[in-house]
Amino acid sequence: AQLQTYRDQLQALASGQSVDDPVFIAIGDSIQRFNLPLSLFDNLLTAFMQDIETTRYATFDAVLDYCRNSANPVGRLLLHLNDAADEQNLVDSDAICSALQLINFLQDIEQDYVENKRIYIPLDDMHNHGIDESWFANRRTDRAMRGLLAEQIERARTLMLQGAPLAGRLKGRFGLEIRLTVAGGLRILQRLARQRDD
């Protein structure tokens, strides 16, 4: 209900109506001042709704669709705020942000399952490796689970490397921050790949 209220406030901004919520007054000001696409805020609300309604993802494409709403808008907003939102930058940013979201899932497998009963590993990949939900419930690490996770790690690495050229095109502090983000993401993936039995 609260998320729907946020969506209503966002729609009010979109239609030029005034709002009385201080958060949305500030958002409206930023949207106007920096010419930010309203759709990116709507994407984030969609992801928050998915967090409530969806606990399993059938395919990797479904996981990437979640990333398009949850992570990619953040990178796109940063590019718009830094006046760097050209077509190639947006594509590369999406790859980096989706990779970061996948890394987050890989770091939080147990927490997501225990606290929210969510599994972000695609169900078809689990099936292909002969794994079902009991592996998560019983914290089971074996050859099948390691194979499944190695596949997910490689997907995240591929996306991160695909988007990495963005860091070289961005100038100044923003470019430095993106270079550090890419390097940090790749380092985390390296460490995850070495973590064999936990």
Side-chain angles (χ1 to χ4, degrees), residues 49-73:
M49 292 290 248
Q50 274 182 266
D51 285 334
I52 294 167
E53 298 167 350
T54 307
T55 59
R56 303 290 183 277
Y57 292 85
T59 64
F60 185 59
D61 282 343
V63 174
L64 284 180
D65 188 60
Y66 173 80
C67 295
R68 281 184 205 103
N69 290 317
S70 68
N72 298 4

Side-chain angles (χ1 to χ4, degrees), residues 2 8 11 19 73 89 101 126 148 152 180 196:
Q2 288 174 324
D8 293 343
Q11 290 308 314
V19 293
N89 285 354
Q101 181 71 82
M126 290 168 54
L148 172 67
Q152 308 310 309
L180 290 171
R196 305 291 295 162

Side-chain angles (χ1 to χ4, degrees), residues 6 18 20 24 26 43 72 79 81 93 105-106 141 156 158 168:
Y6 281 2
S18 62
D20 57 4
F24 281 89
N43 289 136
N72 298 4
L79 288 173
L81 287 169
S93 173
F105 293 154
L106 291 167
T141 304
T158 298

